[in-house]
Amino acid sequence: MPDRQLLLKAATTSGYVGQLVERNLRAVGLPAFLLPTLTHIRDCEPVSPGEISAVAGVPMTTLRDNVQRLVDRKLVRRTPNPTDGRSYLLRLTPRGRTVAEAAGGSLLDTYLALERHLPRPLATYERALDELNRSLELVLDEAALPSIRRG
């Protein structure tokens, strides 16, 4: 049987990224696990939680908890969704925008240091990660199918 290491290596990469982000965000006062949600809201606002869940690959229960944490910190606000009365839209508050900008600034040096050490252009890695993430999404989708359809 071949020694498959992709999932292990991806987990290792995730750990390194987490350490770097955590270190950089300490000064900003934002827990690293909230940065992706804050960033997705910034980049897509106004945006529904369902859209963020789909883009970020985060389960809705986890997303709802993180949105509440951002609301409690006064970084994000909920507004009614004009096209779906059962849902709401998310927007950054002025404070949220300031924190998002500070987080981006604090991560810039890490990005630049990483790019100096990459043997190939950054875009090569970004494309590979996009492909990997899309493939992982497909595997998750397949796993959700009933076993009868897979067999």
Side-chain angles (χ1 to χ4, degrees), residues 82-96:
T83 61
D84 181 357
R86 300 167 296 151
S87 181
Y88 53 88
L89 299 177
L90 300 166
R91 299 174 191 272
L92 293 186
T93 63
R95 180 174 180 207

Side-chain angles (χ1 to χ4, degrees), residues 15-84:
Y16 287 139
V17 169
Q19 289 177 54
L20 289 167
V21 171
E22 191 73 45
R23 183 184 309 160
N24 282 274
L25 293 184
R26 220 172 273 134
V28 176
L30 182 70
F33 73 92
L34 291 177
L35 180 63
T37 304
L38 185 70
T39 302
H40 283 300
I41 293 168
R42 180 201 64 200
D43 292 349
C44 302
E45 70 181 337
V47 62
S48 72
E51 290 171 287
I52 294 292
S53 177
V55 169
V58 176
M60 281 299 291
T61 52
T62 302
L63 181 67
R64 275 191 217 106
D65 291 345
N66 288 344
V67 165
Q68 188 59 51
R69 289 177 178 105
L70 292 170
V71 169
D72 291 346
R73 285 178 161 81
K74 298 183 177 19
L75 302 176
V76 170
R77 65 184 166 92
R78 294 180 184 101
T79 59
N81 185 339
T83 61
D84 181 357

